[in-house]
Amino acid sequence: MDRPGRQVTRSALVRGALLAAPLLFFVVFFGYPVTAIVGRGLREDGGWQWDRLTEVVGDPGTLRVLWFTCWQAAASTVLTLVLALPAAYVFARLRFPGRRVLHAAVTVPFVLPTVVTGAAFLALVGRGGVLDDAFGVRLDDGVWAILLAHVFFNYAVVVRTVGGLWAQLDPRQEEAARVLGAGRLAAWRRVTLPALTPSVAAAALMVFLFTFTSFGVIQILGTPDRATLEVEIYRQTAQLLRLDTAAVLTLVQLTAVVALLVTHRLVTRRRVGALRLVDPAGTARPPRGWAQWTALGGVLATVALLLALPLGVLVERSLAGPDGYGLHHYRALAHADGTFLVAPAEAVGNSLRFAAAATAIALLVGGCAAVALTRRAGRLTRGFDALLMLPLGTSAVTVGFGFLIALDEPPLDLRSSWVLVPLAQALVGVPFVVRVLVPVLGAVDERLREAAAVLGASPWRAWRAVDLPLVWRSALVAGGFAFAVSLGEFGATVFLARPDEPTLPVAVARLLGRAGAENYGQAMALSVVLMLVCTVTLLSLERLAPSRSAGTF
């Protein structure tokens, strides 16, 4: 039997090994490419051109992009909170027929690629869209199409983050305040709102992060004078080949993202330490009174108009052919033309293959990181936890172009390899794997692991006997989220996907970039295919997810 000192040493070695694998992955496939492209842009004749920082940041064009990026992100966040907080209440406190299915449905837009989101709103509010044909109304000339598309995409972030916590707050505390004489609004403001505030702030920060780094939506719905930092980085890199300007913009965006993630971590830690939660199964009740029925009706109307209508229009436009409704555009996907070297339908198989490989990588890397982070985490591992979130906010364009620049010589000569695409997609999938697995692994009683170790079990055998039976369902959920986000990754893949191996988001963007009703119809058809794959994945997750964790990401 091992002595206690030897067990502690072995545990430390195992934790170090578990941290080493994801750390090496992030250094090689995130830190190195980003550093390479920044160095390529700011190093000249062996020296750093730091004066370019002030030149680029002080340029009126850059300031205009920065202002629009911040302004539209703030407006999108406020609008999302206004429309989604009532839904968080409804799903947390009200029980009604179809509640679980509707809860899954509002999450579908979040796992859809932003390219599909842009295409859906282009079909609804753009030139020749449904509103244009029926009422002569277009919203793509202004910023409203962008804001509504961002609400569509981020609605579930607020519903799941705030609603998941709201469902676990003990309603008896608010009821006690009312018994003591407080009105309904006063009781909610004094009891429930303070408990929800950190969760609302965390959700707002995440929405701001996603909209601050928006690419696909802006690429499709934006105009030259309405570009985010991410879109401007793409323009400077791929179109103008001004790597120095792109490098400075990347540093600006990275600095802002780090500040947001640090703030988000502080808010999240405060939330976890301050609340006393109950089983959410008993907190929802059938709606009573006009206020609750009005809230339920308003949420159903919002879901129908804001979420279901754009997706329905996407399906309608994919079926509208030259001779009426039919499968003309779907059949055309099986044939190659001047837009593609291969038939667009082959993008389906490419995307599934790349996403499956990315999911395997994300589960391996994220699983090791999650286990290490839940084993007596110190300051070093907490810092690594924040590092894992960086790819969500770092310019995917920078990462993709950095792959091409950095991974083009031995021992990592991967420039012509298909594995570049799943590696880039896995960078986005790993944070989702970690966020799903850490709470579950953290809830495993440490005494069970210690008992297994005392009985002579190795760390691997103890994990297999204690942790695996408790977390395998959550691991499947984590893999499903990684698969969905990998399937829809666009910013890096647009650089890395070869012309003869396009992914679904890249194929949709290429078709939308070509004039003609045929290309537009095929883009809508491909978007529907991508939407169906993501929807099936999400509904499968809802069936696998444990009931206690169904309300959170």
Side-chain angles (χ1 to χ4, degrees), residues 515-539:
E518 186 68 23
N519 287 322
Y520 177 81
Q522 290 185 46
M524 298 297 106
L526 267 184
S527 296
V528 170
V529 172
L530 188 49
M531 177 184 71
L532 290 176
V533 174
C534 290
T535 302
V536 169
T537 301
L538 180 67
L539 293 177

Side-chain angles (χ1 to χ4, degrees), residues 103 163 439 470:
H103 195 259
L470 299 175

